[in-house]
Amino acid sequence: MRPLRKLAIGAAVLVAVLLLLLVALPLLFHDRIAARVQAEIAESVNARVHWGSVGLSLLRDFPNVTLRLDDLAVTGVDRFDGDTLVAARQLRVVLDLRSVLANLRRGEPIVVRELSVARPVARLLVLEDGTANWDIVREPSAAGADTGRAVAVSLRELTLRDGDVRYDDRQSKLAAGLDGLELALNGDFTRERFDLGTRVHADAVSLRLAGLPYLDRVALELDTDVQADMRARRFTFGDDRVRLNDLVLAFAGTVGLGDERTMLDLTFSTPSTDFADILSLVPALYGEDFERLQTSGRMSVSGRVQGAYGPDAFPALAVRARVQDGAFRDPDLPLPARDIALDLSLDNPGGDVDSTVVRLQRFHAVLGGRPIDARLVVRTPVSDPEVELRLRGAVDLADLRRTIELEGVDELAGLVAADVALHTRQSWVDEARYDRIAASGTVDLSRVALRADSLPHPVAVDTARLRFTPSRVELATLAARVGRSDVRATGSADNLIGFVLRDEELRGQATLASRLVDLDEWRPEDDSSEVIPVPPNVDLTLRATVDRIRFGTLEFTEASGGLRVKDRRVTLDDFRVRTLGGAVVASGTYETTVAARPTFDLDVRVDSVDIPTAFASLVTVQRLAPVARYARGRVSATLDVAGALDETMTPRFDVLTGQGAFQAARVAIEGFPALVRLADVLHIEQLRNPTLQALQASFRIEDGRVRVQPFDVHAGALALTVAGSHGVDQTLDYQLTLTAPTSLLGARASEAITSLAARAGRAGLQLDSATVVSVGVDVTGTVADPTVRPSFGGTAGSLREGVQRAVQAEVESRVADARQRADSAAEAARSRARAEAARLLAEAEERAATIRREADSLAARVRREGDQKADALVAQAKSPVARIAAQAAADRLRREADAQADRIVQEAGARADALVEEARRRGDALVPPGA
């Protein structure tokens, strides 16, 4: 037993040593291997490569070495400086142990057995000149060529998990994306020819060519064995299949990898002819309940891709998709979509992606009892897209909801009818050659109602009509409601095609009218707010008239004025409202050039507004005029102010700048702490709750303070001279001079003033011989907790002076009252005149819109009858000669019908314009000049 025991102990020690080595060796060589990998990467690629941490293990894949890089990122240099090319949460590489040791001793190649990448992200970009951001491999140096390869690949397995890949070829205008990518490649890469097992899954695949979407977030499944010829760099597919949602495509052919080009020779087709398969590619229908759809009809998809793809090459391709007699129905809904037909082709003879032609020869579907027909042709999609589009049909939105399950939609009704034709090139739009653009047609909405979870308020469109011309889109009429707010509008927009296709400036003008705009409906429930951005590439001019606007405790009436949106700036032009018991006129700008820091510059005129209401409703008044909390009366003011807003759309008072003036005939001050304390110190009760008369002053706003210029004001027989400043932080720094007749001073007031005179070096003052006494006062502290420091100013020697001052104050008060009553009466008359003028104009515009609608309806009927007569004439012709003659006659009938319809529309437009102009003239006559 003794030898066996020794043997067991020796074996245990050996195992322990081996385990210790397996644990210790990675620790010993960890830094050398990491440094070697970093050096090899630096010599091999022209990019910045970095990672968060490195792990090395001999136990995980014994007897091989496992190298783990966490938080790996590869970023570009030069033209792609700072752009991420590839990133991964973790990269795991299994290395042959013997090759690692040989590399450390003699510099022999490291052999890679397995590569696994967790959560890879790739952003592949080709610029307009063909430069690719993944072209980062350095050319081997002469010295490097002599020493042989530092890394050899003997892969058995490559896996990617939860990948996110984006490909953007701006030269070919080809863009693709894969979300949730899972990839597994298995094969013996040490052999020249082997079977490569390929498993691919993607949650969502998207593909766009020249801006047109061909796949939109489609699920992908591919499971195939590829014959790989590594010497020839050719991969051959047999009868393999790929699944796109429910559509299965059988494909076969070869893919050859070259240095500059990829050679493609692939064919594909659909084994199944079930319409449901191609229907699964429609995002609005494909979902969890797709299997429940009842479908019928036939479809087919086939195509071939053959030729070279590379920086200067594009393969020939031909793709066909057809649908016949298609129909589908949700078993929980009453209406099917039926008579669905589609004939789509995609062709390119090869050589250049710009030679691609997309033809939607026919699309037809029936919802309810209303058909929809469309045709589309797109040529030269890269260099100068040429688009031909024709759309005709109508959709009853209630039928749409009875056909397709619209999640989150509580109400949908109304009719949308379109008859639109367009033929244009992008260059015609760029060069504003509208004479070459063929655009015509109308889109009409009537009795549309929409309530949905995604909308904060119900939307109702009573009527709307869009007319399309080559240069503009005209909003002939709009009458709609959003929540409790309503709008009536007409207008036009220029360069709509350039705005949609190339983000060019959209120019337009509109006239808006509303009975009520309720802004409270758009306020967040938590009373939070955020910056309201002004959109770019818009030049829009509006003239608006609103009877009533609600916003919190504020209510505005008789709002009218101009508004222009341009260069991320909103400009108000003489915008007038009645609010706070008076009138407000505002002009100025609101700008969001820097989205996070909106700025404004306003010129505001306020006429006879109620002070308590203004203080309770406006935070600006609370911060800039805190004394308004204690004031009762009406005030008029002018304010020219500029500054910035914070993220809650509140002015940043610390950077506010401006100037202004205010005036009031009579203001009662009740409980203002500074005056209350002054009354306590001087024992003059008239100061506790004074009524100020003929108040008029000017001020500046700077450095977070309102600096008031010296002004005089009277409170009965008392006179005050005021100067100083207060801050938006409610601090005070004022100097007052109080002048009071001695006849108003009681015993306690006389004692207080005598005490002040004694401290001023006027001991023995006899107030009986003076008629007026003057006291200086310094007011500091805060509005709520002021500090009052009076000092003796002097006396006046004449009773006449005191009487004259009192009489003058009373006269000024009476004159101010008379002026205010006269101004109020005049303003009321002007308001009634403006209201009557607005009513006349609104009635005229409504009647004009009715005339235009009736003319459009009559013109459409004339054109329709002309088409019917022309079609009947052609149908009756039997022989070829008769058909030629009939066709000529039919064309003439159509032209005559179009001419008659145009005359109807033009005459109606002229009558409508004359009606509106006459109403505007009558309204102008009612309103006095300057009102």
Side-chain angles (χ1 to χ4, degrees):
M1 294 296 293
R2 191 177 185 89
L4 290 176
R5 184 179 179 185
K6 290 182 177 180
L7 181 61
I9 293 174
V13 171
L14 178 61
V15 171
V17 170
L18 288 175
L19 290 175
L20 182 61
L21 287 174
L22 291 174
V23 174
L25 282 175
L27 298 176
L28 293 173
F29 294 105
H30 173 281
D31 293 337
R32 291 182 62 187
I33 293 176
R36 184 65 177 178
V37 172
Q38 183 73 61
E40 294 297 339
I41 290 175
E43 290 183 5
S44 302
V45 300
N46 183 31
R48 297 186 182 94
V49 182
H50 56 88
W51 50 76
S53 61
V54 178
L56 195 64
S57 173
L58 284 171
L59 296 175
R60 181 182 178 93
D61 294 283
F62 184 80
N64 296 316
V65 179
T66 300
L67 175 66
R68 189 192 74 250
L69 302 179
D70 295 327
D71 299 323
L72 174 69
V74 180
T75 55
V77 296
D78 301 330
R79 298 179 67 181
F80 303 101
D81 187 28
D83 294 343
T84 297
L85 172 59
V86 176
R89 177 66 58 84
Q90 185 182 93
L91 172 68
R92 190 171 67 86
V93 184
V94 178
L95 309 173
D96 180 83
L97 177 59
R98 287 181 297 178
S99 71
V100 172
L101 296 176
N103 179 273
L104 294 174
R105 292 196 303 267
R106 300 183 297 274
E108 294 183 4
I110 297 176
V111 177
V112 180
R113 297 293 187 187
E114 182 182 337
L115 183 63
S116 176
V117 187
R119 301 187 67 177
V121 175
R123 298 291 181 261
L124 309 178
L125 174 63
V126 180
L127 300 180
E128 288 80 354
D129 61 1
T131 304
N133 70 338
W134 65 82
D135 187 12
I136 61 174
V137 179
R138 297 182 186 274
E139 292 294 333
S141 63
D146 293 339
T147 59
R149 294 181 301 162
V151 177
V153 177
S154 180
L155 265 180
R156 297 300 176 90
E157 184 176 353
L158 169 64
T159 59
L160 304 179
R161 301 190 308 276
D162 194 15
D164 177 3
V165 179
R166 295 290 181 272
Y167 175 75
D168 183 5
D169 188 338
R170 297 178 182 175
Q171 186 181 51
S172 300
K173 293 193 176 180
L174 176 66
L178 296 93
D179 295 324
L181 175 64
E182 304 284 340
L183 172 66
L185 299 179
N186 297 280
D188 188 355
F189 282 79
T190 61
R191 302 176 58 184
E192 291 185 353
R193 295 183 180 180
F194 62 95
D195 288 337
L196 177 61
T198 305
R199 309 290 180 266
V200 181
H201 166 85
D203 294 335
V205 178
S206 299
L207 177 67
R208 300 177 71 90
L209 177 61
L212 294 178
Y214 291 90
L215 295 177
D216 185 9
R217 300 192 62 79
V218 173
L220 168 70
E221 293 284 350
L222 174 64
D223 189 346
T224 182
D225 290 325
V226 182
Q227 297 178 7
D229 185 342
M230 302 305 292
R231 176 183 290 273
R233 302 174 69 183
R234 180 183 294 112
F235 300 89
T236 303
F237 300 88
D239 186 12
D240 295 309
R241 300 192 176 196
V242 60
R243 179 185 295 273
L244 303 171
N245 283 350
D246 279 10
L247 178 67
V248 177
L249 294 175
F251 68 97
T254 61
V255 175
L257 302 181
D259 293 334
E260 297 292 334
R261 298 182 176 185
T262 299
M263 299 303 299
L264 303 171
D265 189 356
L266 298 170
T267 60
F268 57 89
S269 62
T270 50
S272 171
T273 61
D274 191 344
F275 171 60
D277 294 346
I278 198 169
L279 191 66
S280 72
L281 300 183
V282 179
L285 298 176
Y286 188 75
E288 295 180 358
D289 297 331
F290 181 74
E291 297 295 333
R292 299 175 60 251
L293 285 182
Q294 300 168 356
T295 62
S296 62
R298 302 182 306 279
M299 72 90 194
S300 64
V301 177
S302 62
R304 180 164 190 170
V305 181
Q306 187 175 33
Y309 176 75
D312 58 350
F314 196 82
L317 58 88
V319 180
R320 298 286 184 273
R322 291 187 175 89
V323 173
Q324 292 179 316
D325 302 323
F328 69 87
R329 178 181 178 182
D330 188 320
D332 294 334
L333 298 175
L335 285 181
R338 56 186 176 83
D339 296 342
I340 299 174
L342 178 141
D343 189 352
L344 175 66
S345 65
L346 182 69
D347 293 284
N348 190 307
D352 188 351
V353 66
D354 205 33
S355 300
T356 303
V357 178
V358 180
R359 285 189 177 87
L360 178 62
Q361 301 281 21
R362 184 190 183 207
F363 174 80
H364 176 81
V366 176
L367 290 179
R370 301 179 185 274
I372 304 170
D373 291 277
R375 296 195 306 271
L376 173 69
V377 179
V378 180
R379 301 183 182 89
T380 58
V382 176
S383 63
D384 187 12
E386 179 183 4
V387 178
E388 294 182 33
L389 171 67
R390 181 63 193 264
L391 175 65
R392 175 183 290 180
V395 176
D396 187 325
L397 298 178
D399 288 345
L400 178 64
R401 192 182 179 202
R402 289 192 288 264
T403 302
I404 301 174
E405 181 66 36
L406 301 174
E407 186 176 352
V409 177
D410 300 320
E411 180 184 5
L412 183 62
L415 184 65
V416 179
D419 187 355
V420 178
L422 172 67
H423 177 208
T424 186
R425 281 185 174 273
Q426 183 174 304
S427 59
W428 300 345
V429 176
D430 295 343
E431 299 164 8
R433 300 170 64 185
Y434 299 120
D435 58 313
R436 305 201 66 177
I437 300 175
S440 62
T442 58
V443 175
D444 291 279
L445 289 80
S446 60
R447 301 183 303 280
V448 172
L450 173 61
R451 285 190 300 114
D453 295 343
S454 59
L455 297 176
H457 307 289
V459 176
V461 180
D462 298 330
T463 181
R465 160 158 281 211
L466 291 173
R467 281 199 297 259
F468 294 88
T469 69
S471 60
R472 65 174 52 189
V473 176
E474 297 177 357
L475 178 63
T477 181
L478 170 66
R481 298 182 305 279
V482 180
R484 292 186 292 269
S485 303
D486 67 277
V487 62
R488 302 179 303 280
T490 60
S492 64
D494 299 333
N495 197 31
L496 178 63
I497 298 174
F499 177 74
V500 173
L501 296 182
R502 292 181 57 83
D503 292 331
E504 294 180 349
E505 186 177 70
L506 176 68
R507 299 176 296 276
Q509 57 82 29
T511 300
L512 304 178
S514 175
R515 296 182 182 88
L516 171 66
V517 174
D518 192 343
L519 297 177
D520 288 337
E521 293 184 309
W522 301 94
R523 300 175 69 178
E525 295 182 359
D526 58 0
D527 289 333
S528 64
S529 58
E530 57 185 20
V531 172
I532 302 173
V534 182
N537 302 328
V538 172
D539 184 355
L540 183 62
T541 301
L542 301 176
R543 296 296 302 179
T545 303
V546 183
D547 295 343
R548 197 155 51 107
I549 302 173
R550 291 177 182 169
F551 184 66
T553 59
L554 287 174
E555 180 161 315
F556 305 91
T557 60
E558 301 177 31
S560 64
L563 182 148
R564 186 177 184 185
V565 181
K566 182 176 173 60
D567 298 333
R568 296 182 183 269
R569 174 186 295 176
V570 176
T571 301
L572 293 177
D573 179 17
D574 201 30
F575 197 85
R576 299 169 176 265
V577 296
R578 295 199 62 81
T579 186
L580 305 174
V584 178
V585 181
S587 297
T589 62
Y590 165 76
E591 187 171 346
T592 58
T593 303
V594 180
R597 190 177 181 274
T599 60
F600 65 93
D601 188 344
L602 291 176
D603 181 4
V604 182
R605 300 193 304 277
V606 176
D607 184 17
S608 189
V609 300
D610 181 65
I611 298 174
T613 305
F615 183 87
S617 304
L618 301 176
V619 66
T620 303
V621 175
Q622 296 168 12
R623 300 293 295 275
L624 296 183
V627 71
R629 177 192 293 272
Y630 310 97
R632 300 291 181 271
R634 293 181 174 276
V635 66
S636 297
T638 61
L639 177 62
D640 185 0
V641 62
L645 303 173
D646 62 19
E647 63 276 4
T648 65
M649 296 294 289
T650 301
R652 293 183 53 188
F653 293 100
D654 56 331
V655 297
L656 210 61
T657 61
Q659 59 185 358
F662 60 88
Q663 59 184 13
R666 178 183 289 110
V667 176
I669 305 296
E670 300 175 359
F672 182 40
L675 291 180
V676 170
R677 294 193 179 182
L678 183 60
D680 291 340
V681 171
L682 297 179
H683 303 289
I684 300 178
E685 284 303 309
Q686 292 91 332
L687 289 174
R688 192 173 301 278
N689 295 304
T691 297
L692 307 180
Q693 302 167 0
L695 182 64
Q696 186 171 351
S698 59
F699 58 88
R700 297 191 324 276
I701 304 172
E702 57 187 9
D703 301 326
R705 300 195 69 80
V706 179
R707 305 185 186 279
V708 181
Q709 305 302 313
F711 68 94
D712 296 326
V713 66
H714 296 83
L718 300 176
L720 278 171
T721 299
V722 182
S725 69
H726 60 269
V728 297
D729 58 357
Q730 307 294 286
T731 59
L732 300 175
D733 185 9
Y734 276 93
Q735 299 78 46
L736 311 181
T737 300
L738 170 66
T739 303
T742 55
S743 59
L744 294 180
L745 303 180
R748 297 185 64 188
S750 298
E751 291 176 2
I753 293 175
T754 301
S755 175
L756 291 175
R759 290 200 295 270
R762 297 285 302 275
L765 172 71
Q766 298 296 321
L767 293 180
D768 293 341
S769 62
T771 59
V772 177
V773 65
S774 176
V775 177
V777 182
D778 291 332
V779 180
T780 56
T782 65
V783 173
D785 186 17
T787 299
V788 176
R789 296 187 179 88
S791 61
F792 180 72
T795 62
S798 169
L799 177 63
R800 181 176 299 173
E801 292 183 28
V803 173
Q804 287 177 342
R805 290 179 183 176
V807 171
Q808 181 182 2
E810 182 65 20
V811 170
E812 290 177 351
S813 174
R814 292 180 180 274
V815 170
D817 282 347
R819 184 181 294 112
Q820 182 177 13
R821 287 194 297 271
D823 290 344
S824 299
E827 179 60 28
R830 288 194 294 270
S831 297
R832 288 194 297 271
R834 286 196 297 268
E836 178 63 17
R839 186 189 66 79
L840 289 174
L841 183 59
E843 290 180 353
E845 288 177 341
E846 186 172 351
R847 176 57 183 157
T850 301
I851 291 172
R852 291 190 175 98
R853 284 197 302 272
E854 292 174 350
D856 289 339
S857 177
L858 178 59
R861 190 172 68 206
V862 168
R863 289 191 176 96
R864 187 167 57 251
E865 291 174 353
D867 289 340
Q868 291 172 351
K869 291 178 181 178
D871 292 341
L873 188 62
V874 173
Q876 292 171 3
K878 304 301 181 182
S879 67
V881 175
R883 278 196 295 272
I884 294 174
Q887 185 63 54
D891 291 342
R892 186 173 64 255
L893 282 174
R894 290 190 177 94
R895 288 195 298 271
E896 291 174 353
D898 287 342
Q900 183 181 357
D902 291 340
R903 284 196 301 274
I904 292 172
V905 172
Q906 291 172 358
E907 291 172 0
R911 285 193 291 120
D913 292 341
L915 185 66
V916 172
E917 185 60 31
E918 175 62 19
R920 184 175 287 110
R921 186 188 62 76
R922 292 173 58 192
D924 291 343
L926 290 173
V927 180

